[in-house]
Amino acid sequence: MRNWRFAPALGWPAGIAIAAVMIGFAVAIIVLHQKRKGQSDETAWASIRRCAICVLIAVLALTPSTLATTTSRAVNTTDVVLATDVTGSMAVNDAHYGSQATITRLDAARKAIDDLTDIYENSSFAAVHFGASATLDVPLTPDVGAIRNWATGLQPEPTAVSAGSTLDAPIDPLLVTLKSMRSSHPKDRIVLYYISDGEQTSAKARRTFSSLRQYLDDAFTIGVGSAQGGQIPEIKAGVDDSSPDDDSNASGANDDWVKDPATGQPGVSKMDEKNLKAIADEMSGKCVILDATHKLDKRSVTSISKHFRTVETPKRRERVMPVVWPFSIALAALLAMEMGSWLATSRRLL
């Protein structure tokens, strides 16, 4: 919506003074023309033209403007924290992601992360990977590209450094990260996605995730893998699981498998849905299992987390926009006519 008003570019005192002087000149031109009628060669058109010039200068001094209303948005986004398992069992090639195609568990995790960045538009993300230890790789950022690059670069933990799967490894860095996020952005909604196969092979008892609950608005455990499981490839340091060669299996490891110390035979890793559900319950969240018919998309995840969509708060602002160009064009045209008239008169007097 637009409203016309005067907003003198030189300020009200100067604008009013100039306008008053020019209006006075306009009145004087009319009065003098009437007094000198018949005694001067000044035409009525010349008097009107000069009067119009004075009026236009007065109008420009007052600077006619429009009041334009703009709307700004205060965006209250969701902060999404991604904690992804990179233990050796994540290289098992038994996962599905919305299709019958079999992929590694880590590939399924990558696809899930990529979809989450689309689902949570205008949100900020933080990323943690965990295996023998856990590390905050990407602090909270709205840069979706950084998160996608991080997911692409995730690699399964080398077998040589693995100390067995410990599902509670990310608790400490998550506590520090979530506390900092809650302190810095108290009005933001924080959602945690814990992506893992849920397998706990460490003899050490798992700690509870309930300590994270105080900082979370919601949480999800995302299960990748299958109940049937698969053999765990032996991962060597520096081997890219996404680029298998002739001497590598589908996961990018060599032809050796991780052996079960009790039998000496290749061990089998199975997704543990029970552990994933327990972790979700401890965080007062939900467990989502990815398989051939389920993946993370706007239809499935949004039905769970729809109240965490971006909140837009419109705030009305008014901006004054000067509109002087029509008056300037008219003034220039009249001045050109006046100059032409003066030149014509000068030639006659020569």
Side-chain angles (χ1 to χ4, degrees):
M1 180 179 179
R2 296 189 169 204
N3 298 311
W4 286 93
R5 61 172 57 188
F6 288 114
L10 300 177
W12 279 105
I16 291 174
I18 295 173
V21 170
M22 298 314 297
I23 293 298
F25 286 158
V27 172
I29 289 170
I30 295 173
V31 172
L32 287 174
H33 178 74
Q34 291 297 324
K35 283 185 177 182
R36 294 184 301 186
K37 214 170 192 181
Q39 302 175 7
S40 171
D41 61 352
E42 182 184 47
T43 64
W45 164 238
S47 178
I48 293 172
R49 183 175 64 241
R50 291 162 187 165
C51 182
I53 289 173
C54 293
V55 171
L56 284 173
I57 293 174
V59 170
L60 288 172
L62 294 175
T63 316
S65 306
T66 60
L67 191 64
T69 301
T70 59
T71 301
S72 63
R73 294 185 305 173
V75 181
N76 179 13
T77 59
T78 301
D79 297 332
V80 182
V81 181
L82 305 168
T84 305
D85 189 347
V86 294
T87 54
S89 61
M90 291 294 284
V92 175
N93 195 41
D94 69 337
H96 299 276
Y97 191 77
S99 73
Q100 294 297 329
T102 303
I103 57 178
T104 67
R105 297 173 184 177
L106 195 55
D107 280 337
R110 292 189 186 104
K111 290 179 179 290
I113 292 169
D114 192 57
D115 285 341
L116 285 171
T117 59
D118 288 331
I119 292 167
Y120 288 95
E121 296 179 278
N122 301 321
S123 297
S124 296
F125 294 83
V128 173
H129 84 271
F130 64 94
S133 60
T135 304
L136 174 66
D137 296 321
V138 184
L140 190 65
T141 176
D143 186 355
V144 172
I147 295 297
R148 289 177 174 168
N149 289 337
W150 166 79
T152 301
L154 288 174
Q155 297 296 328
E157 187 176 66
T159 305
V161 303
S162 179
S165 298
T166 305
L167 296 176
D168 61 7
I171 289 179
D172 291 335
L174 283 175
L175 269 174
V176 173
T177 301
L178 294 174
K179 183 178 180 180
S180 174
M181 289 166 58
R182 182 58 74 196
S183 299
S184 302
H185 309 283
K187 293 184 179 180
D188 282 8
R189 298 186 181 275
I190 302 176
V191 183
L192 171 64
Y193 280 88
Y194 178 95
I195 307 173
S196 174
D197 55 21
E199 186 178 45
Q200 170 94 8
T201 59
S202 173
K204 186 180 178 181
R206 178 178 67 81
R207 291 182 293 163
T208 178
F209 280 71
S210 58
S211 57
L212 304 180
R213 193 166 50 206
Q214 60 185 312
Y215 303 113
L216 296 172
D217 291 285
D218 212 344
F220 301 90
T221 54
I222 308 299
V224 291
S226 67
Q228 293 74 32
Q231 294 179 336
I232 309 169
E234 185 175 347
I235 307 297
K236 292 186 177 181
V239 177
D240 185 351
D241 80 312
S242 63
S243 305
D245 53 33
D246 294 338
D247 296 326
S248 302
N249 56 33
S251 66
N254 61 21
D255 290 332
D256 294 331
W257 305 99
V258 175
K259 302 293 193 301
D260 184 341
T263 64
Q265 297 299 314
V268 175
S269 169
K270 299 180 181 180
M271 181 186 66
D272 194 325
E273 185 174 345
K274 182 178 178 181
N275 278 339
L276 292 170
K277 287 183 175 179
I279 293 172
D281 287 341
E282 290 165 10
M283 296 187 293
S284 298
K286 299 174 181 65
C287 177
V288 178
I289 302 300
L290 305 178
D291 54 29
T293 57
H294 295 89
K295 66 176 186 176
L296 298 184
D297 56 24
K298 289 190 175 182
R299 182 175 56 186
S300 61
V301 176
T302 303
S303 64
I304 300 171
S305 57
K306 59 186 178 183
H307 53 294
F308 296 127
R309 287 180 181 176
T310 301
V311 177
E312 297 180 0
T313 306
K315 184 176 181 179
R316 190 170 172 174
R317 296 175 184 265
E318 293 183 339
R319 187 165 46 125
V320 176
M321 301 177 64
V323 182
V324 297
W325 62 269
F327 305 98
S328 299
I329 292 173
L331 178 61
L334 291 174
L335 288 173
M337 291 180 190
E338 187 66 21
M339 178 64 71
S341 176
W342 180 80
L343 288 173
T345 302
S346 298
R347 282 179 177 272
R348 286 200 307 268
L349 293 175
L350 289 176

